[in-house]
Amino acid sequence: MESYETVDTAVLVLGAGGAGLRAAIAAAESGARVTVVCKSLLGKAHTVMAEGGMAAALGNVAGQDSWEAHFADTMKGGKLLNDWRMAEIHAREAPERVLELERWGAVFDRTHEGLIHQRPFGAHTYPRLAHIGDRTGLELIRTLQDRLVHQAGIEVHMEVTVASLFAQDGRIAGALAYRRADGGLVLYRARAVLLATGGAGRVYRVTSNSWECTGDGTALAYRAGAELRDCEMVQFHPTGMVWPAGVRGILVTEGVRGEGGLLRNKDGERFMERYDPDRMELSSRDIVARAINSEVLAGRGSPHGGAYLDISHRKPDYIKRKLPSMYEQFLKLAKVDITKDPMEVAPTIHYYMGGVRVDPETGASSVAGLFAAGEVTGGLHGANRLGGNSLTDLLVFGKRAGEAAAEYSREHSRPARISKAEVGEAVESLVGPLGRPHGENPYRLQAELQDVCSRHAPIIRSESGLLEGLQQVLELRERARSAGTGGPTGRAFNPGWHTAQDLGQMLVNAEALFRSALKRKESRGAHARSDYPNPDPALANVNFVVREVEGAMSVRALVREQLPDALLAVINRSFEKYTPEEKE
Amino acid sequence: MAETVEVTVQRYNPETDSAPRLQTYEVPYKDDWVVLDAILYIKDHLDATLSYRWSCRMGICGSCGMNVDGHPKLTCSAHLREYRRGFTVEPLSNFPVIRDLVVDIDDFMAKLKSVKPWIVRELEQPLGDGEYLQSNNQIDHYRQFSQCINCMLCYAACPVYGMEPEFLGPAAIALARRYNLDSRDEGTVERVNVLAASEGIWECSCIGECSVACPKGVDPAKAIQQTKFDTVNGAIMSTMLMPFGNRR
């Protein structure tokens, strides 16, 4: 049998994006010994690509902002499909988490008074996004990374990928992983495991997500017996780059619209007037993405099949100061000077609202000792996420889950047993592709899967398309059993082998997406169906929950707990409208 | 026939090679491609064994740094049209090679920690008191130093780091400078001990290769110069004696 190294730890954190880093810091501060395992290098996680800002009702620009207003916006944006308690906690605690980040050294653009500046963003009633230019994710990651190296009791294992989790009698026990550098296998024995692995955007062809976003945590949790929710809810960000081909899909921050950017079709019409005349360009992402899609389908798209996004009416200095990365990105990649000319943009897969079903207070999944935080979870964002809510999600729930995992590890001082036989099976399946280099080509399978999701679970879905898609996913799953490495058999940095592993996780995510989307016979938020174009009131308080039952994926409808009257009243409150002062 | 371009790549597999070797591939030439696109093409279509790092494709994660024709570049931002006649891709200089284009940067992570890249204050204000006030002008004093993406290009460009691996290096010194210039911070004295103790800082010949290499407009050479100046002039001492807020 293959040899492997064994590492013992109290709390094992998978992922070093914002949620994983914040969780690791919290768990270590609570006194737990923490090991962070991440797929890439520290500081390079997908969070680094976040641009626009982090939403928190600090009230620095609009004094009338409040946690209630933020809560109401989040719930309405999510079409009330959200876990209301998560939305409440998030809105209440986000300001403190942002201030804490500032304490640790994060740089923010400032108001004239020297307070953290906040910019307007889609479907937020007030200017709410704390930001530094359009590189807020980088600043968040950098600050947390620097804080993490400062914090005693945390060990980081970089470029290590977890392939499977072990649970014993419903309690988490550990994980099997491989190191990219030398292909060595590592068995982690942990008293608590915290998933912070992000989303699964890579199951689509055109996405703003980095190569890492293959839905590992969702799939690992599912196989360990945890429940997933809202897997049909996948966000198309309205504005991704459409050309050059090499960068198709990469993000054009909503900050462009926050700073006054206008959307036009090829006839020069501000088409949002026809889709959301009140909020126009600052409508919610689901609506703007569908609007651009409709314009293109109606033949009013731009030359590369998108819409025009124009910020050139703002002063060049202002654009370069508030949107420096966008300015540079378009100049370098597309040779477009956005201070003079419009950008061409189209919807791109951006975010998984669905994920592991967790306890709102602690991030605990339905498997004892298994916690989750960030994009890998479902609940906070309901059927559609508002821009800026993701970064504060990471901070608020990263901290909570980290503390809860530390506490769990204290209460369970002995790790659960891991059976040798199970490890053996997991190892065999992990190294399988190395033994069949010329098995099914993993790159080809991955590309086919991306085509299936892109074609059959697009921005507007239908029963026949979803059924066809599910069928093809199941066929791919069969073929993936004999996936090889695409040729090489070496252990060190073997990208074909890694792709074969990722593929297994992506397939679980894709299957959950199609099965859940078939169940939701209505249109709501990010989930739009041509055969059921309207919301169905009977599904308004239903979430679809996925779990493994006797080796097969089952989906059940779960009726949500009623919103307390006090919170319902908050949602129905009419908040004072904000009128910005024009200053540049 | 479609246009092509010759890409020569340094290969090294620790399991089979005793030394790095060069291998040349014929890759389609597209005017809107970047060097990273050519490398991805090689892996997807010509040679699945090629190893390298990349992530965001938009110049913000700092994963895809490599030497292109001998100069350290972010390959997602280096355009093929600038290398129309073919080019050579090698791993970043001055780092141990793990495999092909992948280098070991553990050394940097240790250096990062040594400069205390966080706000140091005698008294921390409770969160309830709100943020530390700071003006956009105060941020302008250190803004450029805060844009570092840890891509390691400056270390690959640095002749001193090449000869003297103990040298803290450009990015770590720029980071220290970033915090020393931050009006919220009081940790200059703690950091200067680390900075002054780093032999390399005095050996930096100020040719500024690091600042030329930086893809984000950070000027580490300036940070090093300013740090030398401060150290020599005892400016640090006066900073220590001055209360917070008096050194804008």
Side-chain angles (χ1 to χ4, degrees), chain A residues 322-339:
Chain A
K322 298 302 276 188
L323 302 163
S325 309
M326 287 305 106
Y327 173 72
E328 202 182 301
Q329 181 174 316
F330 273 89
L331 203 59
K332 275 194 182 162
L333 299 174
K335 290 190 245 174
V336 170
D337 179 349
I338 66 169
T339 66

Side-chain angles (χ1 to χ4, degrees), chain A residues 7 24 71 89 92 114 154 161 185 188 216 237 247 259 278 289 353 356 362-363 424 466 497 526 549 565:
Chain A
V7 174
F71 168 77
I89 291 172
R92 281 181 186 272
I154 304 175
T161 306
L185 307 185
Y188 290 95
D216 295 10
H237 193 291
V247 292
E259 300 296 344
D278 284 342
M353 271 76 71
V356 181
T362 62
L466 291 169
W497 180 34
V549 177
D565 288 345

Side-chain angles (χ1 to χ4, degrees), chain B residues 10-26:
Chain B
Q10 178 175 316
R11 305 297 311 270
Y12 172 65
N13 177 352
E15 291 165 28
T16 55
D17 301 338
S18 55
R21 60 196 162 83
L22 294 175
Q23 191 168 350
T24 300
Y25 303 91
E26 191 99 349

Side-chain angles (χ1 to χ4, degrees), chain A residues 128-141:
Chain A
R128 192 176 279 149
L129 268 72
H131 62 278
I132 172 80
D134 52 5
R135 54 171 190 88
T136 314
L138 174 68
E139 191 59 28
L140 183 145
I141 279 284

Side-chain angles (χ1 to χ4, degrees), chain B residues 114 116 118 120-121 186-195:
Chain B
S114 74
K116 298 182 189 267
W118 49 80
V120 176
R121 283 175 77 108
E186 300 167 349
T188 305
V189 176
E190 291 181 35
R191 282 183 207 102
V192 84
N193 293 333
V194 182
L195 294 173

Side-chain angles (χ1 to χ4, degrees), chain A residues 519-532:
Chain A
K519 290 275 184 189
R520 191 167 285 284
K521 295 181 194 298
E522 63 160 353
S523 291
R524 188 181 298 273
H527 176 73
R529 294 194 39 168
S530 56
D531 43 357
Y532 299 96

